[in-house]
Amino acid sequence: MSSPDRPERPVPAPNAVTSPDQVTIRRAPRFSVFILGGAVLGFLVTVLVVLLTMGIDRGDQQETTGFAGLVGYFSLYGVSIGMLIGAVAAVVLDQVSSRRAARLTAERVAVDPAPETVDGELEGDGASAAPAPTADPVDTDPVETDPVATDSAVPGRDDQPER
């Protein structure tokens, strides 16, 4: 009897071949998410630094560049540094997760395909075999029996469900 916590192992078919394989299970970080997150964080830090330094008294210098120009220029540095920090964080987390990886043994099951069915008589008792059912049963009757269902369908569209 099986417990609810542990599912039963499927019994392989008689013509199935099983072979054990060593697999590694671990959680790896997505590098693109870390790099993009670092870029966004770098941009936000750049905006914050420009906001905080806009009001600094620079003596007799004239300010010719506005806020948007300064953010645009310094975001080149901020976004690049943020992407670099995000990539380094992803590499460090990848190394940590590879140390915590679990090595397990998994079973690989290779099953031979089922033999094809042949229409005709069965061997032994002489009775004829029923035709094999198709995977997608289609109504081949060309006569329309329900005019209400066909009126709502779009002409030329056979894939619409009946309403």
Side-chain angles (χ1 to χ4, degrees), residues 29-46 75 77-90 93:
R30 295 184 187 266
F31 279 57
S32 60
V33 172
F34 277 86
I35 292 172
L36 184 63
V40 169
L41 190 62
F43 180 76
L44 293 176
V45 168
T46 301
S75 67
Y77 297 108
V79 169
S80 300
I81 291 171
M83 290 172 66
L84 179 66
I85 291 172
V88 168
L93 287 175

Side-chain angles (χ1 to χ4, degrees), residues 14-25:
N15 57 354
V17 178
T18 61
S19 62
D21 282 336
Q22 289 288 329
V23 294
T24 303
I25 307 292

Side-chain angles (χ1 to χ4, degrees), residues 70-133:
L70 288 174
V71 168
Y73 178 73
F74 286 113
S75 67
L76 294 174
Y77 297 108
V79 169
S80 300
I81 291 171
M83 290 172 66
L84 179 66
I85 291 172
V88 168
V91 168
V92 168
L93 287 175
D94 188 46
Q95 290 297 316
V96 168
S97 71
S98 67
R99 289 187 189 130
R100 290 184 179 178
R103 303 271 309 161
L104 301 174
T105 302
E107 283 186 0
R108 181 181 304 242
V109 177
V111 179
D112 294 334
E116 293 188 26
T117 58
V118 178
D119 292 339
E121 293 184 357
L122 293 175
E123 293 181 30
D125 62 0
S128 63

Side-chain angles (χ1 to χ4, degrees), residues 30-72:
R30 295 184 187 266
F31 279 57
S32 60
V33 172
F34 277 86
I35 292 172
L36 184 63
V40 169
L41 190 62
F43 180 76
L44 293 176
V45 168
T46 301
V47 169
L48 183 67
V49 167
V50 170
L51 270 174
L52 293 175
T53 59
M54 285 292 288
I56 294 176
D57 183 28
R58 293 182 175 76
D60 56 351
Q61 287 181 337
Q62 279 187 321
E63 291 189 26
T64 58
T65 307
F67 176 74
L70 288 174
V71 168

